[in-house]
Amino acid sequence: MEPLPTGISVLDREFGGGIPSGSVVALKADAASQSELILDRFSRVRACRYLTTVRSADAVEAGLTADDEEGETVVRDATGDDPFAAVLDATAELAEGETVVVDSVGPLEAGDREEYGAFLGELRRRVDDAGGLAVLHALKGAAADRNRVVTEQVADVVFDLRTTVTGTEIANRLVVPKFRGGAALEEPLKLKLTDSVSVDTSRDIA
């Protein structure tokens, strides 16, 4: 399985070039975090279909970085009464190596468990056939509890972005507890998330 770059250089170095093609990635994060910056990087590095299930397509396009590095990012609206059908319709005939971003997966997790499992299986098959990636933006919260275990079980890679706020700083630590086809990180990676993604080199003071 060819590693596909994430667009985040420090992660690509840690993972030997990127994430194995055909993988499903779950990005867990607080809704009030800067996790969309990580999605932005995934969407810029090669051709991408960015499927929005909550926000309008115009709002997503306005927030994405304009200058794609390699491929075009196409934003599609996947809102509505049947998000399963909307996402699957939008992922037909994926190009070789294409990335699919689902932002967020919450409305799909809220559905029937058997239907959701079947949906994930079909999405995985499509990205595997195309040798691409699927990135599921899995926001944390009580509403996600219903089928989040299914998301985490099916996912090949789990990114857990943990944001903590103290009186002096906002700290973002990326934990990678699961990585099929590679090695998970042994310790959290401290990230600086402002208007871009970089490594936070500041020292923690106890």
Side-chain angles (χ1 to χ4, degrees):
M1 294 179 289
E2 178 187 358
L4 298 178
T6 65
I8 303 171
S9 58
V10 64
L11 291 181
D12 293 337
R13 287 196 301 271
E14 291 283 350
F15 299 144
I19 294 173
S21 61
S23 296
V24 175
V25 181
L27 170 59
K28 298 167 56 180
D30 294 328
S33 72
Q34 287 281 74
S35 58
E36 289 169 9
L37 292 175
I38 297 175
L39 299 180
D40 179 87
R41 297 305 303 173
F42 268 104
S43 71
R44 289 182 60 188
V45 74
R46 62 191 152 269
C48 175
R49 300 189 199 190
Y50 195 117
L51 312 179
T52 175
T53 64
V54 178
R55 297 185 295 155
S56 70
D58 288 344
V60 172
E61 288 178 343
L64 290 173
T65 306
D67 55 333
D68 290 350
E69 292 180 352
E70 296 292 340
E72 180 183 5
T73 299
V74 177
V75 180
R76 298 192 179 183
D77 191 322
T79 60
D81 295 333
D82 191 349
F84 295 117
V87 171
L88 291 179
D89 287 347
T91 55
E93 299 180 358
L94 294 174
E96 182 70 23
E98 191 168 2
T99 297
V100 175
V101 173
V102 180
D103 180 21
S104 68
V105 75
L108 295 100
E109 288 178 320
D112 176 78
R113 175 165 293 199
E114 184 174 348
E115 188 176 4
Y116 179 57
F119 158 79
L120 288 179
E122 177 61 19
L123 181 62
R124 164 191 273 285
R125 184 191 67 78
R126 294 183 183 191
V127 296
D128 187 48
D129 287 347
L133 292 177
V135 183
L136 310 178
H137 196 198
L139 298 177
K140 300 175 184 178
D145 289 344
R146 179 172 181 177
N147 282 323
R148 178 56 51 82
V149 66
V150 181
T151 303
E152 294 177 352
Q153 183 175 3
V154 170
D156 300 288
V157 181
V158 175
F159 287 173
D160 186 356
L161 181 65
R162 301 178 183 180
T163 302
T164 56
V165 181
T166 66
T168 57
E169 70 165 356
I170 299 174
N172 293 286
R173 290 175 173 80
L174 185 66
V175 179
V176 184
K178 181 179 183 181
F179 197 117
R180 289 195 187 113
L185 296 182
E186 293 184 352
E187 58 185 28
L189 182 64
K190 193 174 182 183
L191 297 179
K192 186 176 181 180
L193 301 176
T194 52
D195 58 348
S196 62
V197 182
S198 60
V199 177
D200 190 341
T201 57
S202 63
R203 296 182 62 185
D204 293 320
I205 301 175

